C-alpha cells in the first residue's frame, strides 16, 4: 500500500477493484442507507416513508430490506443502495462505493483507471470542484492572511465562536479585492465558465463575494453547494447578507442551513428548531442545541418542510420578537402546517435574537425559556392577532377568520377539531360556529389541493417522458398515470342531467362502478398487491384526480375518510366502517360485502361476472372501468358543447377539438387495456 500522501494524488488515476465492489454489495443494506436520509416506518415486511425525490405528504416510498430495493409509488423512482446514493446524494458510482465501504469498514482496493474514465467527469463534478477550491481559499485567507485574521477571524471570535465551531461550519473570509478568488482559481487551472456557473463570479469577471465573512452552505449530505457572505462595513447601499444565486447545485428551497449537522439530532430529539439566521444556527449548535436549522436566502418553503419531515414531524419556530420576526413566523407557520408538520412557536422578547440570547443565558435557562414560552401555532396566531385588533369588533372577527383559515390547514381531523375548540375559547366565540367555519375553509382547501396534485402529477409525467426522449430510449408505455389529469377539464364537473333522471332506488351506472371501487377499499384495503404496495396505496393514488367526479355522496364520504385515515397511517378495514357513526355508511358496507358480482357492461347486477378473489386483477380492472366511465362522460359533454358552439368562435373550436381528440385517445387506450371493444359513436 502506498503512503497516504501518495494515495490522494494517485486516486484520480485509479478505479475500484471488482473485489471491493462485490464486498460492498454483499454488505450494504438498503434500509440502512436510505434510513440515513429518510425516516422509515415499518409496514409489514417492508418500510415506508416520505419520498425524498418528490414532494408528498402521505408516504408512497417503500423500502424492501429483503429484496434490497426501494420504490416510489408516486414518482416511480426505484433502485438499490448504490443508485440511492447516486441519485440522492449526487455521487458517482465510485464515490457511492467508497461511501458504502467507509460505512461498512471495507478496505478499498484500487486499480489503474482508464484515461477515458478520468475525462468523463461531468458538469456537476466540475462545479463541485470549483466550490471545494473556493471554500479552501476562503478558509486559508481567514486563517493565514493578515487582513483575514484581523477582520474575518476576529469578527467570528468577537461573536463568541470557538475554533472548533469555526472549523465545523467551515467559516472563512473573502478579500475586498476585485478578483482575488477568480484569479486564484483560474491560476490553479479551474475554468472561468465553471467559476461563473458556480455563482462565484459576476458577469464582469469580479468576485461575487468581496470583503465579507463567508458561511458555506451545505446540502444535507454535508457537501458545500453555495456561500453566503456578511458585509464587514455597515453601509446603507450594501446588503448585510449576500447569497450566491441559484445554480445547478444550489436550489434555495431544497437546502436548509445546518441540516447536515442537525439531521441526526432532529431525529433523536424528534424536533427541529427553525431560526432565521446563520449565526443563530451556529450559536445554538455551539451551546448544545444541535437540532437548529435556518433557511438560506429565502423564506420557508414546502420543500424545506419536506426536508425536515424526513427526520421529524415537529417543527418549532424560534424567531426574534420584532415585527419582522413575528411576520416571518406567521408566514412560515402556515407553510409548515400545510406541509403536514406539527408546528409550535417561541417568540423572543423584543430586541433579542437566538444567537445573543443563548450566549447571554446559557443552555439551562434557554431550555427552560423554550418550554415555558412554547405555544401551538393557533395560540400564537390568535393571541397576536387579537392583541393587534384591540376592542374593534370588525377587526376581531377578521382575526377569527384568519385563525380559522390556519386551523383548516391541519390535515389530522382530530387535531383540527381540538385546535378549533381551543381557538373558540381564545377568541371567545361559539364552538359550533367555529367548527362549521373551519369545515368550510377545509373544503375550499381540499379542492385547491386536488388541483395542485393533478398538476404535479402531469408535470412528473412530462418530465419522465422528456427524460426518456433525451436518453434516446423509447417513450415509456402509457402508465395508468397518463390517464390522469381529469382536472384539466374541471369546467365540466356539473352533473349530466340525464344521469339524474335515473331513480335513486336503482343505482346509476356511475354509482355502481363507484360502489365497486369503494368495495375494494372497505374489504381489501390492507391486502398486498406487490411487495409493500397494498390495495389502498394503489387505489388512493389512482383516484387522486377522480375524487371530485364521484356522484354518490356516501361513496364520496367513505373515500375522503380513507384518504384521511391513510394520511394518518390508520388502518382502513371493514370493521371500522361497520361501526361508523353514519347509518348510510354501515348500510352500504353491508351491501358491498354481500355483492358477489361485478356490474356488467350493461351496468346491471344481472348478467354479471362473479367477483374473483384475485384482488390484484380486480383492483386494476375496477379502477380502469371507473376511469373509462368518467372519461366517457366528459367526452359526451365536450362533444355536446362542441355541437352547440357558434361557428365564429374559432379559438374555442380548436380548443374543444383538441380536448375531444385527447379524451378519445385516452379512452381507446383504456379500452385496449381492458380488452373491451369500442363501437364508434356508441
Ligand atoms: Zn417519489
Amino acid at each position: 500500500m502506498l503512503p497516504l500522501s501518495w494515495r490522494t494524488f494517485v486516486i484520480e488515476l485509479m478505479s475500484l477493484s471488482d473485489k471491493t465492489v462485490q464486498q460492498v454489495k454483499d454488505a450494504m443494506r438498503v434500509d440502512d442507507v436510505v434510513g440515513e436520509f429518510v425516516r422509515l416506518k415499518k409496514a409489514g415486511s417492508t418500510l415506508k416513508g416520505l419520498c425524498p425525490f418528490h414532494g408528498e405528504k402521505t408516504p408512497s416510498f417503500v423500502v424492501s430490506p429483503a429484496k434490497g430495493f426501494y420504490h416510489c409509488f408516486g414518482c416511480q423512482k426505484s433502485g438499490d443502495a448504490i443508485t440511492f446514493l447516486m441519485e440522492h446524494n449526487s455521487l458517482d458510482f465510485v464515490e457511492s462505493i467508497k461511501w458504502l465501504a467507509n460505512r461498512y469498514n471495507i478496505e478499498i482496493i484500487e486499480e489503474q483507471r482508464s484515461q477515458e474514465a478520468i475525462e468523463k467527469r461531468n458538469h456537476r463534478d466540475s462545479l463541485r470542484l470549483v466550490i471545494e477550491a473556493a471554500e479552501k481559499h476562503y478558509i486559508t485567507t481567514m486563517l493565514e492572511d493578515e487582513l483575514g485574521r484581523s477582520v474575518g477571524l476576529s469578527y467570528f471570535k468577537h461573536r463568541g465562536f470557538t475554533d472548533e465551531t469555526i472549523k465545523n461550519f467551515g467559516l472563512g473570509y473573502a478579500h475586498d479585492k476585485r478578483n482575488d478568488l477568480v484569479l486564484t482559481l483560474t491560476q490553479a487551472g479551474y475554468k472561468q465558465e465553471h467559476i461563473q456557473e458556480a455563482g462565484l463570479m459576476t458577469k464582469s469577471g469580479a468576485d461575487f463575494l468581496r470583503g465579507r465573512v463567508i458561511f458555506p452552505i451545505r446540502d444535507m449530505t454535508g457537501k458545500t453547494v453555495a456561500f453566503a457572505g456578511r458585509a464587514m462595513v455597515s453601509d446603507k447601499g450594501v446588503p448585510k447578507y449576500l447569497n450566491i444565486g441559484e445554480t445547478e447545485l444550489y436550489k434555495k428551497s431544497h437546502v436548509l442551513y445546518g441540516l447536515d449537522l442537525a439531521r441526526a439530532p432532529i431525529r433523536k430529539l424528534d424536533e427541529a428548531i427553525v431560526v432565521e439566521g446563520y449565526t443563530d444556527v451556529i450559536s445554538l449548535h455551539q451551546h448544545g442545541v444541535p437540532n437548529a436549522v435556518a433557511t438560506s436566502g429565502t423564506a420557508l418553503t414546502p420543500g424545506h418542510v419536506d426536508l425536515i419531515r424526513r427526520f421529524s414531524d415537529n417543527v418549532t419556530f424560534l424567531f426574534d420578537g420584532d415585527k419582522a420576526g413575528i411576520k416571518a413566523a406567521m408566514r412560515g407557520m402556515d407553510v409548515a402546517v400545510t406541509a403536514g408538520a406539527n408546528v409550535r412557536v417561541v417568540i423572543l422578547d423584543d430586541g433579542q435574537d437566538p444567537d445573543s440570547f443563548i450566549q447571554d443565558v446559557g443552555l439551562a435557562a434557554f431550555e427552560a425559556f423554550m418550554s415555558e414560552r412554547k405555544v401551538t401555532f393557533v395560540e400564537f396566531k390568535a393571541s397576536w392577532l387579537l392583541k393587534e385588533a384591540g376592542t374593534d369588533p370588525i377587526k376581531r372577527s377578521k382575526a377569527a377568520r384568519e385563525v380559522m383559515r390556519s386551523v383548516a390547514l391541519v390535515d389530522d381531523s382530530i387535531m383540527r377539531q381540538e385546535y378549533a375548540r381551543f381557538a373558540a375559547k381564545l377568541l371567545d366565540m361559539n364552538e359550533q360556529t367555529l367548527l362549521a367555519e373551519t369545515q368550510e375553509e377545509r373544503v375550499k382547501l381540499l379542492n385547491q389541493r386536488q388541483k395542485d396534485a393533478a398538476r404535479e402529477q402531469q408535470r412528473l409525467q412530462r418530465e419522465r417522458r422528456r427524460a426518456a426522449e433525451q436518453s434516446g430510449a423509447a417513450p415509456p408505455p402509457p402508465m395508468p398515470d397518463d390517464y390522469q389529469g381529469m382536472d384539466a377539464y374541471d369546467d365540466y364537473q356539473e352533473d349530466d342531467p340525464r344521469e339524474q333522471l335515473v331513480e335513486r332506488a336503482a343505482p346509476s351506472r356511475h354509482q355502481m362502478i363507484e360502489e365497486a371501487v369503494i368495495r375494494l377499499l372497505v374489504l381489501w384495503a390492507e391486502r398486498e398487491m406487490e411487495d409493500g404496495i397494498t390495495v389502498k396505496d394503489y387505489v388512493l393514488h389512482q383516484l387522486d384526480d377522480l375524487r371530485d367526479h364521484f356522484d354518490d355522496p356516501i361513496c364520496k364520504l367513505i373515500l375522503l375518510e380513507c384518504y384521511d385515515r391513510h394520511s394518518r397511517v390508520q388502518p382502513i378495514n371493514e370493521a371500522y366502517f361497520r361501526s361508523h357513526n353514519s347509518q348510510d355508511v354501515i348500510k352500504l358496507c353491508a351491501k358491498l360485502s354481500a355483492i358477489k358480482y361485478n356490474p356488467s357492461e350493461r351496468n346491471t347486477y344481472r348478467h354479471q361476472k362473479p367477483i374473483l378473489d384475485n384482488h390484484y386483477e380486480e383492483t386494476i380492472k375496477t379502477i380502469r372501468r371507473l376511469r373509462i366511465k368518467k372519461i366517457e362522460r366528459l367526452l359526451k359533454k365536450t362533444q355536446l358543447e362542441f355541437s352547440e358552439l357558434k361557428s365564429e368562435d374559432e379559438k374555442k373550436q380548436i380548443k374543444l377539438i383538441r380536448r375531444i381528440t385527447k379524451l378519445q385517445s385516452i379512452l381507446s387506450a383504456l379500452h385496449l387495456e381492458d380488452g373491451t371493444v369500442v363501437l364508434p359513436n356508441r
Side-chain angles (χ1 to χ4, degrees):
M1 177 133 314
L2 292 161
L4 217 66
S5 58
W6 268 92
R7 293 192 63 205
T8 40
F9 169 71
V10 172
I11 222 152
E12 289 278 287
L13 306 168
M14 305 293 275
S15 74
L16 300 167
S17 77
D18 289 348
K19 192 175 160 225
T20 306
V21 173
Q22 197 51 51
Q23 276 179 329
V24 163
K25 283 189 172 173
D26 291 342
M28 71 190 190
R29 292 178 49 92
V30 69
D31 47 324
D32 182 31
V33 174
V34 175
E36 178 78 14
F37 304 99
V38 181
R39 185 167 42 131
L40 296 168
K41 279 192 189 136
K42 251 196 138 18
S45 64
T46 59
L47 299 157
K48 253 186 195 181
L50 296 174
C51 177
F53 300 112
H54 82 281
E56 64 174 5
K57 288 211 227 150
T58 48
S60 51
F61 182 77
V62 181
V63 176
S64 166
K67 300 196 171 166
F69 73 78
Y70 61 89
H71 175 75
C72 174
F73 203 50
C75 69
Q76 314 291 335
K77 283 220 157 90
S78 58
D80 62 8
I82 298 172
T83 50
F84 184 85
L85 288 172
M86 290 172 74
E87 280 220 37
H88 181 266
N89 294 19
S90 308
L91 304 179
D92 64 18
F93 180 77
V94 174
E95 287 170 328
S96 303
I97 295 288
K98 282 185 181 163
W99 192 98
L100 291 162
N102 187 25
R103 186 179 185 90
Y104 296 108
N105 290 318
I106 294 164
E107 193 197 353
I108 300 171
I109 302 165
E110 288 172 309
E111 291 162 348
Q112 198 79 29
R113 205 190 222 190
S114 71
Q115 189 58 37
E116 189 190 11
I118 298 165
E119 280 165 13
K120 246 171 121 184
R121 300 209 79 113
N122 67 29
H123 190 243
R124 284 174 77 95
D125 285 338
S126 312
L127 298 190
R128 281 195 190 288
L129 290 175
V130 166
I131 295 270
E132 217 172 274
E135 183 171 359
K136 272 190 199 134
H137 180 69
Y138 290 140
I139 292 173
T140 318
T141 307
M142 184 176 78
L143 296 180
E144 289 169 15
D145 184 275
E146 199 183 316
L147 207 63
R149 293 173 69 90
S150 64
V151 180
L153 188 60
S154 74
Y155 169 79
F156 287 128
K157 290 273 185 181
H158 182 71
R159 289 209 77 132
F161 296 165
T162 63
D163 288 338
E164 198 193 346
T165 297
I166 290 172
K167 192 165 163 245
N168 279 347
F169 284 88
L171 306 176
Y173 177 70
H175 260 304
D176 197 11
K177 294 178 193 157
R178 189 173 180 274
N179 54 6
D180 176 57
L181 179 73
V182 172
L183 218 61
T184 311
L185 292 183
T186 43
Q187 274 166 7
Y190 294 95
K191 286 187 186 157
Q192 281 219 352
E193 57 174 287
H194 291 151
I195 301 171
Q196 190 168 2
E197 284 170 58
L200 297 167
M201 190 176 95
T202 65
K203 274 186 188 144
S204 62
D207 288 0
F208 183 76
L209 296 169
R210 291 197 303 259
R212 289 169 179 268
V213 288
I214 298 292
F215 300 82
I217 296 163
R218 300 170 181 152
D219 65 14
M220 69 187 290
T221 71
K223 279 202 189 110
T224 300
V225 291
F227 300 96
R230 187 194 188 281
M232 290 288 95
V233 288
S234 49
D235 182 338
K236 273 215 169 130
V238 178
K240 196 161 142 195
Y241 279 93
L242 193 59
N243 270 69
I244 278 176
E246 295 215 334
T247 67
E248 202 179 322
L249 300 178
Y250 180 41
K251 303 279 173 260
K252 288 182 180 179
S253 63
H254 290 98
V255 174
L256 276 170
Y257 186 71
L259 188 61
D260 55 317
L261 301 168
R263 85 186 134 87
I266 289 174
R267 193 201 305 249
K268 200 168 142 223
L269 301 166
D270 196 17
E271 181 189 33
I273 295 180
V274 176
V275 292
E276 287 176 286
Y278 304 124
T279 54
D280 294 332
V281 172
I282 298 172
S283 246
L284 289 174
H285 279 241
Q286 179 173 309
H287 288 87
V289 185
N291 54 335
V293 293
T295 61
S296 74
T298 170
L300 194 82
T301 68
H304 292 132
V305 185
D306 287 350
L307 279 182
I308 294 173
R309 286 197 61 216
R310 294 208 211 162
F311 307 105
S312 172
D313 286 333
N314 299 311
V315 175
T316 301
F317 290 98
L318 172 61
F319 280 7
D320 305 354
D322 57 8
K323 266 232 154 98
I326 285 163
K327 238 181 156 179
M330 291 272 195
R331 199 170 345 108
M333 235 164 46
D334 280 358
V335 171
V337 172
T338 308
N342 301 325
V343 178
R344 291 186 170 70
V345 185
V346 176
I347 297 291
L348 291 163
D349 294 329
D350 202 358
Q352 261 168 343
D353 57 52
D355 176 10
S356 60
F357 182 62
I358 197 162
Q359 299 219 29
D360 288 349
V361 303
L363 181 62
F366 174 84
E367 281 177 339
F369 179 87
M370 287 292 280
S371 60
E372 188 197 320
R373 292 285 188 98
K374 201 182 285 184
V375 292
T376 64
F377 75 97
V378 175
E379 203 172 343
F380 168 71
K381 200 160 190 176
S383 55
W384 176 258
L385 289 175
L386 283 180
K387 201 171 119 199
E388 290 270 277
T391 52
D392 183 340
I394 294 169
K395 277 189 186 158
R396 284 180 84 86
S397 81
K398 211 174 145 197
R401 253 201 315 282
E402 194 58 40
V403 173
M404 283 308 106
R405 208 166 291 142
S406 288
V407 173
L409 298 173
V410 178
D411 276 332
D412 186 312
S413 64
I414 295 171
M415 292 238 301
R416 195 165 60 239
Q417 288 186 17
E418 246 164 57
Y419 279 136
R421 263 184 222 116
F422 187 66
K425 229 179 269 165
L426 281 177
L427 299 166
D428 196 19
M429 286 178 79
N430 180 291
E431 196 179 301
Q432 289 308 317
T433 321
L434 273 186
L435 272 173
E437 264 180 48
T438 317
Q439 217 44 41
E440 227 170 83
E441 288 293 337
R442 182 83 192 150
V443 171
K444 270 189 236 162
L445 186 79
L446 287 178
N447 283 336
Q448 185 55 45
R449 267 195 204 164
Q450 276 169 30
K451 283 183 194 166
D452 294 346
R455 215 165 292 134
E456 175 64 11
Q457 195 61 43
Q458 287 172 327
R459 193 187 62 77
L460 282 173
Q461 264 311 321
R462 276 198 302 274
E463 236 171 50
R464 234 172 288 153
R465 263 196 297 266
R466 205 174 305 134
E469 276 166 25
Q470 276 172 3
S471 68
M479 297 290 288
D481 284 350
D482 271 347
Y483 309 136
Q484 296 197 350
M486 297 282 285
D487 202 64
Y489 317 108
D490 58 3
D491 34 346
Y492 292 90
Q493 277 176 15
E494 71 287 0
D495 277 330
D496 186 335
R498 277 159 293 189
E499 298 282 353
Q500 286 173 349
L501 294 177
V502 181
E503 273 183 43
R504 183 68 182 93
S508 76
R509 297 159 182 209
H510 281 268
Q511 279 170 324
M512 280 171 107
I513 187 68
E514 284 165 16
E515 284 177 3
V517 169
I518 294 303
R519 186 179 178 281
L520 301 171
L521 284 171
V522 171
L523 300 184
W524 292 345
E526 305 294 341
R527 289 202 194 179
E528 254 189 29
M529 289 180 70
E530 280 168 34
D531 198 37
I533 294 163
T534 56
V535 168
K536 71 176 173 195
D537 290 331
Y538 182 83
V539 172
L540 294 179
H541 179 70
Q542 287 293 323
L543 291 187
D544 214 34
D545 63 327
L546 289 170
R547 283 188 231 189
D548 262 358
H549 297 260
F550 267 60
D551 295 359
D552 186 80
I554 309 300
C555 287
K556 196 166 180 178
L557 180 81
I558 295 179
L559 180 66
L560 291 180
E561 226 169 282
C562 285
Y563 274 105
D564 200 39
R565 291 183 71 79
H566 190 49
S567 72
R568 285 185 280 141
V569 206
Q570 288 174 335
I572 296 172
N573 53 38
E574 200 182 350
Y576 171 77
F577 287 107
R578 284 280 195 144
S579 57
H580 202 271
N581 55 19
S582 153
Q583 278 304 311
D584 290 333
V585 170
I586 296 174
K587 266 189 242 161
L588 180 61
C589 288
K591 177 181 166 192
L592 294 180
S593 53
I595 292 174
K596 297 276 179 285
Y597 298 94
N598 274 321
S600 73
E601 263 305 278
R602 300 183 65 85
N603 291 295
T604 64
Y605 280 117
R606 274 169 278 134
H607 316 104
Q608 334 89 328
K609 293 187 192 122
I611 295 169
L612 306 172
D613 199 35
N614 180 339
H615 59 270
Y616 183 90
E617 274 184 28
E618 278 295 338
T619 302
I620 288 177
K621 198 173 68 193
T622 308
I623 297 292
R624 192 161 53 216
R625 292 262 161 98
L626 175 80
R627 200 170 281 285
I628 289 176
K629 256 288 68 46
K630 299 299 177 191
I631 290 181
E632 277 176 353
R633 178 158 78 183
L634 277 178
L635 181 59
K636 254 193 243 163
K637 280 180 188 168
T638 318
Q639 283 168 333
L640 190 71
E641 194 190 354
F642 181 72
S643 67
E644 286 166 358
L645 203 64
K646 290 194 185 79
S647 55
E648 59 264 28
D649 195 349
E650 210 174 304
K651 240 185 176 168
K652 185 98 196 234
Q653 269 183 345
I654 292 168
K655 195 174 144 199
L656 288 178
I657 289 172
R658 282 213 183 113
R659 192 177 282 171
I660 289 169
T661 324
K662 183 173 177 200
L663 288 173
Q664 278 170 336
S665 77
I666 291 172
L667 251 190
S668 55
L670 282 168
H671 276 299
L672 196 68
E673 267 185 16
D674 198 48
T676 46
V677 183
V678 210
L679 300 171
N681 299 322
R682 189 169 54 154

